[in-house]
Amino acid sequence: MITELISVGTEILLGNIVNTNSAYLSEKCALLGLSVYYQDVVGDNEGRMRDVIRTALDRSDVVILTGGLGPTEDDITKEVTADLMGMPLKEDSHSRKLIDKYLKEYEKNNSQRRITKNNYKQAMVPEGAIVLDNHNGTAPGLILEKKGKTAILLPGPPNELKPMFEEYVVPYLQKNQPEIIVSQMVKISGIGESQVAEEIQDLIESQTNPTIAPYAKTGEVHLRVTASAENEKACRKLIKPVVKELKKRFGENVFATDESKTLEEAVIDLLKEKDLKLSLAESLTGGMIAQRIVNVSGASEVFGYGFVTYSNKAKHKCLGVKKRTLKEQGAVSAKCAREMAKGACKASGADISISVTGLAGPGGGTKETPVGTVFIGCCYKGKAIAKEFHFTGNRMRIREQTTAHALAMLRDCIIMGR
């Protein structure tokens, strides 16, 4: 089915808010096998909104609209869509009761709040529409069907839209699809997007069903394997040999085949499996690696120490980096990275440590050591190594790339035992 997304709101056009809803819905629609051919953003203007929705209904089978379902005068998505589809509005008693209950709880939490009559505008629904209860707000969602066309109206706030879409819209769309779509992610670290693309070029050129779609992420490459079939079991059967082939080609660089699993989770799992204690020594990243590590539940079982040694004095005092190294080689050097990693292990008693030092810019670079030069060190059971990297982008981008590559290098060192 040809599907179109329309985001309603002048605040989106002005850049006051980031339109994350379209990205979410596009991905979900793709997984459901829907063909999203168009995306539109329109402000809270009746004439322009009418033109956009009319065009969408003419050229698409399913139109998903987000925003403009609230109680204020400029919330007119429902009114315009219902009028275009010839479905007059009437009050839905069930929706009014839910709105009333929600507002009374809202009022109870703050004595200065009061319920205003315009809230009940949200209980007016197109006659014959499927009403979707909103468990996280006041505006119900709606599904309007007329002459082979479907308009799905969802509230704008993501914390209302997402659960409503998952609970009601996904089953509705699946019911109207002859086939289902199932995907599995293969996550790779330690090698770049261009190398991954080259390695799977033959698979991409010959693919029919399933298909492989690469996605580049900072320090990682994700390959989404997607199959369509009459049921999930048949989809999984098609996906299995492709995932097996990808794991064969990329070996230890594959750190997950579960979409929800992160690189830091894979690292923590390895540390636990091998009963290793981790410490970190960070300079330019200033704790960003530690932040990703402690985002993982249970990280405290393997991670005990993190050193942020930004100055040369701190590197010497806390990690034992030699003054001679700092003077002759400089803080941004392989030798400094190795000594930082060794010092972190010694100071913490850890089995393995990762260190990072480099130039994130925008100033401070030289012809010999330009901005983006980074050294990542690893000490594993007394043996220290360091690798040189050259990243591009602004200060934050360089720090993010350093963090991602440090985690990948940590995983590699654990696996290789070095």
Side-chain angles (χ1 to χ4, degrees):
M1 290 189 290
I2 298 174
T3 304
E4 188 154 346
L5 306 180
I6 301 176
S7 302
V8 177
T10 302
E11 66 275 16
I12 301 173
L13 290 173
L14 294 175
N16 298 138
I17 64 169
V18 177
N19 183 13
T20 59
N21 287 338
S22 289
Y24 167 80
L25 290 171
S26 291
E27 183 177 13
K28 292 297 180 182
C29 287
L31 292 175
L32 289 165
L34 303 174
S35 301
V36 179
Y37 285 174
Y38 308 97
Q39 287 190 23
D40 307 289
V41 179
V42 63
D44 303 304
N45 175 278
E46 183 176 350
R48 289 190 288 272
M49 193 183 299
R50 187 176 291 275
D51 289 343
V52 169
I53 297 173
R54 182 189 292 114
T55 299
L57 289 169
D58 285 343
R59 67 188 179 187
S60 301
D61 304 304
V62 178
V63 180
I64 303 177
L65 300 104
T66 60
L69 300 182
T72 62
E73 283 189 16
D74 62 351
D75 290 316
I76 55 174
T77 303
K78 172 179 57 184
E79 288 77 5
V80 173
T81 308
D83 184 58
L84 284 169
M85 297 184 75
M87 301 171 72
L89 299 176
K90 68 173 186 178
E91 184 173 279
D92 178 54
S93 58
H94 174 69
S95 293
R96 183 178 177 108
K97 286 178 184 176
L98 290 180
I99 292 168
D100 202 42
K101 180 182 177 183
Y102 185 93
L103 291 173
K104 284 178 179 176
E105 288 295 322
Y106 178 82
E107 188 180 49
K108 191 188 300 181
N109 291 331
N110 191 326
S111 59
Q112 293 183 330
R113 294 170 176 168
R114 61 185 180 85
I115 300 173
T116 55
K117 289 182 180 180
N118 60 351
N119 280 288
Y120 296 107
K121 165 181 178 283
Q122 297 166 109
M124 299 295 291
V125 306
E127 191 172 350
I130 301 170
V131 181
L132 314 177
D133 291 346
N134 188 343
H135 305 299
N136 301 283
T138 53
L142 299 161
I143 299 176
L144 287 64
E145 301 171 316
K146 197 75 174 280
K147 296 179 181 179
K149 301 290 185 176
T150 301
I152 300 173
L153 282 59
L154 300 171
N159 65 322
E160 297 178 34
L161 178 147
K162 290 180 181 181
M164 186 182 289
F165 187 85
E166 297 286 349
E167 183 175 358
Y168 299 113
V169 181
V170 168
Y172 171 82
L173 293 171
Q174 284 178 329
K175 184 179 66 177
N176 291 286
Q177 279 289 86
E179 291 188 330
I180 70 163
I181 304 289
V182 173
S183 292
Q184 185 171 348
M185 193 73 85
V186 176
K187 297 186 177 184
I188 299 165
S189 69
I191 51 178
E193 180 187 13
S194 57
Q195 184 179 340
V196 170
E198 186 178 77
E199 292 286 339
I200 61 170
Q201 186 62 36
D202 60 316
L203 298 178
I204 296 288
E205 289 176 352
S206 63
Q207 67 184 6
T208 51
N209 182 29
T211 59
I212 304 171
Y215 301 85
K217 191 180 175 183
T218 303
E220 302 173 23
V221 181
H222 296 180
L223 301 175
R224 184 183 291 280
V225 184
T226 304
S228 61
E230 64 276 9
N231 55 53
E232 183 176 352
K233 185 178 180 181
C235 286
R236 297 289 179 195
K237 188 175 181 180
L238 291 169
I239 289 170
K240 188 176 180 180
V242 178
V243 171
K244 185 178 179 181
E245 177 62 23
L246 292 174
K247 290 172 77 174
K248 178 182 175 182
R249 294 191 184 197
F250 296 107
E252 298 289 0
N253 292 108
V254 175
F255 69 85
T257 54
D258 178 353
E259 185 161 2
S260 64
K261 191 165 189 174
T262 63
L263 179 55
E264 50 267 36
E265 286 175 328
V267 168
I268 294 296
D269 286 347
L270 269 175
L271 289 166
K272 288 180 179 178
E273 180 187 319
K274 296 184 178 293
D275 194 26
L276 298 174
K277 300 298 181 185
L278 168 70
S279 64
L280 301 171
E282 303 184 59
S283 184
L284 82 158
T285 48
M288 290 174 69
I289 305 171
Q291 183 182 30
R292 284 186 60 172
I293 289 290
V294 300
N295 277 340
V296 181
S297 177
S300 59
E301 295 177 36
V302 293
F303 176 55
Y305 290 77
F307 302 90
V308 177
T309 54
Y310 209 66
S311 68
N312 284 0
K313 183 178 178 180
K315 289 178 178 68
H316 172 68
K317 185 177 180 180
C318 301
L319 300 175
V321 177
K322 296 172 184 175
K323 288 183 179 180
R324 184 176 177 180
T325 298
L326 295 168
K327 184 179 180 180
E328 296 180 359
Q329 303 290 323
V332 183
S333 65
K335 192 170 184 182
C336 182
R338 288 194 298 269
E339 290 182 12
M340 285 174 68
K342 277 189 173 182
C345 277
K346 185 177 179 180
S348 64
D351 303 294
I352 189 168
S353 68
I354 280 284
S355 66
V356 294
T357 181
L359 287 171
T366 65
K367 187 177 180 180
E368 295 75 23
T369 310
V371 169
T373 302
V374 172
F375 291 90
I376 302 177
C378 181
C379 181
Y380 188 15
K381 295 185 177 180
K383 182 182 178 182
I385 62 167
K387 291 184 179 180
E388 183 175 352
F389 297 83
H390 292 273
F391 301 125
T392 58
N394 61 23
R395 183 177 179 83
M396 180 54 71
R397 176 70 176 156
I398 289 169
R399 296 172 72 222
E400 287 173 346
Q401 290 177 86
T402 301
T403 299
H405 282 79
L407 288 169
M409 184 169 163
L410 172 58
R411 179 177 177 272
D412 182 57
C413 287
I414 297 169
I415 292 171
M416 301 302 291
R418 58 175 189 231

